[in-house]
Amino acid sequence: MNAALRPFDVAAIRAEFPILQQQLEGKPLVYLDNAATTQKPMAVIQAITDYYSQCNANVHRGAHQLADEATRRFELSRDKVASFIQAYDRCEVIWTSGTTEAINIVANGIAQRLKPSDEVLVTEMEHHANLVTWQQACLRSGASLKIVPIHDNGALDTEAFAALLSANTRLVALPHVSNALGTVNPIQDLTRLAKAHGALVLIDGAQGIAHGGVNVREIGCDFYAFSGHKVFGPTGVGVLWGKAEVLQDWPVWQTGGEMIAQVTYHNATWGELPNRLEAGTPNIAGVIGLAAAIDWLTQFDVSAIQAHERALLAYATTLATDFEGIQLVGTAADKIGVFSFVLQGSHPADVGFLLDKQGIAIRTGSHCAQPLMQRLGLPGTARASFSVYNTLEEVDALFRALKKTQRMLA
């Protein structure tokens, strides 16, 4: 481990998250809904407060010191994101409101270029944000949407993926990690196969980014999208990364201030990257908060983070094997962070409600993946999802609460 990195100490990490210090229903909060959003360390909260209290101003357009400082912090944040994901160039980092907007920027552009003979590939495990967008792009263009199946254990059928690729494949959209199952897809291998057919590749990184180790150069994709709030940053800010040679003439998403080069009453031309895809006043505080989150996360060895989260998942899986009446959903060999389950004879919503009354915060339902739930023959699941600040003791607390919940629902 690099001596410059901070030791991975869960107790010390937890002390930096104010929200984890509270109680719910008279019990210590056990927050296990990290796939929905991660909590924020004081470093992020302070960075946002500092912006509003020290240099609140618009960026790129002021002729005063506050605007200069706001712009400096804002653009330094772009540099930090570029370094974090190993972008080729800082201009490839486009600020968005989150993963959903990032995917929509790509879908809006490709819908203008697709022909009826073209095909777009997605998978059976998609979040709605990486499914509905491509549905609509294909409906507008007449192109075909192809669905790559999964195995019953939640792993992607890679043979079917390879078979579905063709000379007509124009874009492949894949989740890095399934939000509902925790499956980690072999995105580097899948990207290589897709690129061999000349397809553009977009990776939905909403669930992959917080687990560390994202290197867009190694992946080889054309686009990688993620949200700040999944990686200890604020809500309402995200990133579309795209190769400069792809984005430089990509159809613009929105028009208005900042993204133009020249404007007359009857015409307009667009600026260079990244401005051309960033119309209007951005979420300046959110961008600065995201940079603070990245600074906080990169204090630690990424392998230590991943090992900790895998240990939590492995422990929960072991406890589940001895727990009568629990059905695990998503048992792929390579998975991380997500423990989805059904308590037999109970509706997931009832399980979530009763766990909440015991201070355990999880998510229940379809997890914005209704077609996946239909594929699995389930109304939904209960989902506990782990992060850097969770502990083995919290996993124990979850299973004690599940045992009590099971008795209450019997």
Side-chain angles (χ1 to χ4, degrees):
M1 177 173 154
N2 189 327
L5 294 175
R6 176 179 162 184
F8 190 86
D9 181 335
V10 177
I13 288 171
R14 289 179 63 84
E16 297 181 49
F17 288 79
I19 201 168
L20 299 180
Q21 314 312 313
Q22 66 178 296
Q23 293 193 339
L24 290 183
E25 302 291 336
K27 298 178 176 62
L29 168 64
V30 176
Y31 183 78
L32 299 176
D33 194 19
N34 296 286
T37 194
T38 51
Q39 298 302 337
K40 320 308 172 192
M42 271 306 303
V44 171
I45 297 168
Q46 192 62 54
I48 296 169
T49 300
D50 288 349
Y51 163 70
Y52 281 124
S53 61
Q54 296 174 6
C55 62
N56 179 40
N58 215 325
V59 293
H60 301 145
R61 59 193 75 174
H64 52 83
Q65 293 181 41
L66 292 183
D68 288 345
E69 178 59 17
T71 299
R72 186 191 70 80
R73 297 186 192 188
F74 181 81
E75 290 301 337
L76 179 60
S77 301
R78 197 185 307 272
D79 292 331
K80 290 181 178 180
V81 169
S83 176
F84 183 56
I85 62 174
Q86 297 295 300
Y88 297 99
D89 192 288
R90 69 187 309 276
C91 75
E92 297 173 329
V93 174
I94 309 299
W95 301 121
T96 70
S97 63
T99 307
T100 298
E101 185 183 26
I103 295 172
N104 271 272
I105 291 172
V106 181
N108 172 73
I110 204 162
Q112 300 177 43
R113 298 179 172 182
L114 290 173
K115 304 184 298 295
S117 59
D118 292 336
E119 298 172 353
V120 173
L121 263 64
V122 297
T123 75
E124 281 190 325
M125 67 176 73
E126 301 300 339
H127 186 284
H128 296 160
N130 205 36
L131 172 61
V132 178
T133 42
W134 309 114
Q135 284 180 358
Q136 297 305 305
C138 288
L139 286 171
R140 292 198 298 271
S141 63
S144 299
L145 186 68
K146 303 292 184 180
I147 313 296
V148 182
I150 62 171
H151 296 293
D152 290 342
N153 69 351
L156 190 70
D157 187 335
T158 55
E159 291 185 0
F161 175 86
L164 282 170
L165 291 168
S166 75
N168 294 325
T169 306
R170 291 292 169 262
L171 183 134
V172 172
L174 300 164
H176 190 165
V177 176
S178 166
N179 73 303
L181 305 172
T183 303
V184 180
N185 286 313
I187 55 175
Q188 190 169 345
D189 294 339
L190 299 174
T191 295
R192 185 172 59 251
L193 287 171
K195 299 304 291 182
H197 287 78
L200 293 170
V201 178
L202 178 141
I203 304 298
D204 171 0
Q207 296 299 326
I209 194 70
H211 304 297
V214 172
N215 185 325
V216 294
R217 300 188 194 194
E218 290 183 355
I219 296 169
C221 56
D222 299 283
F223 309 100
Y224 193 96
F226 68 90
S227 300
H229 72 99
K230 306 283 191 181
V231 64
F232 313 105
T235 55
V237 65
V239 169
L240 170 64
W241 171 83
K243 289 179 178 176
E245 60 265 32
V246 177
L247 287 181
Q248 64 187 359
D249 65 346
W250 199 255
V252 298
W253 167 237
Q254 294 177 320
T255 55
E258 198 65 28
M259 55 76 65
I260 54 87
Q262 296 291 329
V263 177
T264 69
Y265 280 114
H266 301 290
N267 198 13
T269 56
W270 316 138
E272 300 297 320
L273 290 174
N275 294 22
R276 71 190 311 275
L277 293 173
E278 293 181 358
T281 297
N283 182 356
I284 303 167
V287 165
I288 292 170
L290 175 55
I294 289 171
D295 282 343
W296 182 84
L297 183 62
T298 52
Q299 296 178 94
F300 306 102
D301 186 343
V302 65
S303 62
I305 293 171
Q306 293 173 343
H308 175 71
E309 292 177 350
R310 290 186 186 279
L312 293 169
L313 181 60
Y315 185 54
T317 303
T318 298
L319 293 181
T321 61
D322 297 325
F323 192 104
E324 186 175 351
I326 197 170
Q327 173 192 349
L328 299 187
V329 181
T331 56
D334 191 4
K335 60 177 291 186
I336 194 168
V338 171
F339 180 77
S340 283
F341 63 93
V342 174
L343 207 56
Q344 292 175 3
S346 305
H347 194 282
D350 295 330
V351 173
F353 175 80
L354 292 174
L355 287 179
D356 179 58
K357 293 300 180 183
Q358 300 172 72
I360 313 288
I362 67 166
R363 182 168 174 178
T364 64
S366 67
H367 315 295
C368 296
Q370 291 179 9
L372 172 61
M373 293 299 136
Q374 293 166 9
R375 155 68 178 84
L376 297 172
L378 297 170
T381 69
R383 182 190 70 187
S385 48
F386 306 116
S387 188
V388 295
Y389 39 65
N390 292 125
T391 66
L392 296 176
E393 291 76 15
E394 289 183 316
V395 179
D396 285 331
L398 168 65
F399 275 84
R400 286 196 300 271
L402 280 173
K403 183 61 69 174
K404 183 175 180 180
T405 297
Q406 192 176 50
R407 293 194 297 269
M408 294 171 71
L409 291 173

